[in-house]
Amino acid sequence: MRSFSIAGLGCVIAFLSASGVSTGEVNASPEPVAVPFCAVAQRPADYHGVTVILHGTYKTDNFDNEFIKSASCDGGKFLINIGKHGLSESVARFDAEIKKICTSRRSPFVCNISAKVEVVGTMRASRQDPDESVIDLEEIKQSKFDHEK
């Protein structure tokens, strides 16, 4: 009878994961994983701890609502709330552009903004509601605010 050590089993799983063989779990690696928006929005707990790349429409009132959504999701959930904003240069530029737009509208507090975005962020459970998930923004890879042509 052959026996396997736990370390040996770990090596087998690591090899299978690296070779693209599914082990039945989403890979929680630090490398961003491009995933369909609707898959994350409709089953966010499957992606907790995973750094994802998402495409969607960013919306905020610059007060207490901030989320990314997609109109293409069939039924169910179609938005993901934004959690923390990271310290990257791209997130800082994005936040500065929002402030600039709101200032130009003479509406520094409540100011509705919309933009097409490609973001990188890590999914996690919401602190306010454990049944909800949020994405902590780490990078804004692309953005186009609705007022831009």
Side-chain angles (χ1 to χ4, degrees), residues 18-85:
S19 63
V21 176
S22 174
T23 59
E25 296 179 10
V26 174
N27 184 13
S29 74
E31 287 297 315
V33 178
V35 290
F37 181 91
C38 298
V40 178
Q42 293 173 358
R43 297 185 54 110
D46 291 352
Y47 296 91
H48 284 180
V50 178
T51 302
V52 297
I53 300 171
L54 295 176
H55 297 265
T57 301
Y58 170 89
K59 298 261 189 182
T60 187
D61 62 6
N62 204 33
F63 185 64
D64 66 351
N65 290 308
E66 184 180 35
F67 55 88
I68 299 172
K69 71 176 213 159
S70 174
S72 66
C73 299
D74 293 330
K77 196 159 180 171
F78 62 93
L79 66 88
I80 299 171
N81 288 311
I82 306 286
K84 300 175 194 171
H85 285 230

Side-chain angles (χ1 to χ4, degrees), residues 10-11 38 48-49 66 79 95 105 107 118 121 123 125 133 135 147 149:
C11 289
C38 298
H48 284 180
E66 184 180 35
L79 66 88
D95 290 343
R105 293 180 183 172
S107 184
E118 177 183 4
M123 296 298 300
S133 294
I135 186 169
H147 74 278
K149 297 294 177 207

Side-chain angles (χ1 to χ4, degrees), residues 58 62 66 84-86 88-101 137 140 145:
Y58 170 89
N62 204 33
E66 184 180 35
K84 300 175 194 171
H85 285 230
S88 72
E89 189 176 313
S90 65
V91 172
R93 278 193 313 268
F94 186 75
D95 290 343
E97 184 64 20
I98 290 170
K99 184 175 183 177
K100 179 179 166 187
I101 293 167
L137 296 179
I140 309 294
F145 289 91

